[in-house]
């Protein structure tokens, strides 16, 4: 089961409201797309914690993702694989 913050983030991304997504819209999205026993106090706590940590921005009665959260996570570059030295071929006897 994803956390309430993750569900709220998915709702905000899916709803794509320019002015942010309301708590009611986030709740209805979670109800329709996630198979969980919905508890509103946990959603409120997750939204509040997201605002405090800077992951969400509260605009009037709506929530938006902060610019830092909108960016996809940076991919780590994999170290290039070292090529094995080709075994030296033995000369055919003459």
């Amino acid at each position: 089961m994803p956390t309430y913050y993750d569900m709220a983030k998915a709702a905000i991304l899916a709803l794509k409201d320019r002015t942010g997504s309301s708590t009611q819209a986030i709740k209805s999205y979670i109800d329709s797309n996630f198979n969980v026993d919905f508890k509103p106090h946990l959603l409120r706590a997750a939204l509040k914690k997201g605002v405090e940590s800077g992951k969400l921005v509260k605009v009037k009665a709506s929530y938006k993702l902060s610019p830092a959260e909108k960016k996809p996570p940076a991919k780590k570059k994999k170290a290039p694989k070292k090529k094995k030295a080709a075994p030296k071929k033995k000369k055919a006897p003459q």
Side-chain angles (χ1 to χ4, degrees):
M1 181 177 120
T3 64
Y4 274 85
Y5 172 74
D6 292 335
M7 291 188 284
K9 182 178 176 181
I12 292 168
L13 286 172
L15 295 171
K16 296 181 181 178
D17 281 335
R18 220 179 105 227
T19 57
S21 302
S22 67
T23 309
Q24 197 63 32
I26 294 169
K27 176 193 178 301
S28 63
Y29 180 86
I30 291 172
D31 278 339
S32 63
N33 293 323
F34 294 97
N35 190 16
V36 294
D37 182 27
F38 186 78
K39 297 183 178 151
H41 66 282
L42 294 176
L43 176 62
R44 280 195 308 270
L47 292 172
K48 185 176 179 181
K49 188 174 180 182
V51 170
E52 288 173 357
S53 64
K55 294 179 179 179
L56 297 174
V57 178
K58 187 169 183 176
V59 181
K60 296 183 182 177
S62 298
Y63 295 90
K64 295 167 74 171
L65 287 175
S66 67
E69 279 291 299
K70 285 182 186 175
K71 295 178 185 175
K75 293 182 182 178
K76 294 180 182 177
K77 292 184 180 178
K78 293 182 181 178
K81 294 182 181 179
K82 294 181 181 178
K83 294 182 181 179
K84 293 181 181 179
K88 294 184 179 179
K89 295 181 182 179
K90 296 180 183 178
K91 292 186 178 180
Q94 295 178 357

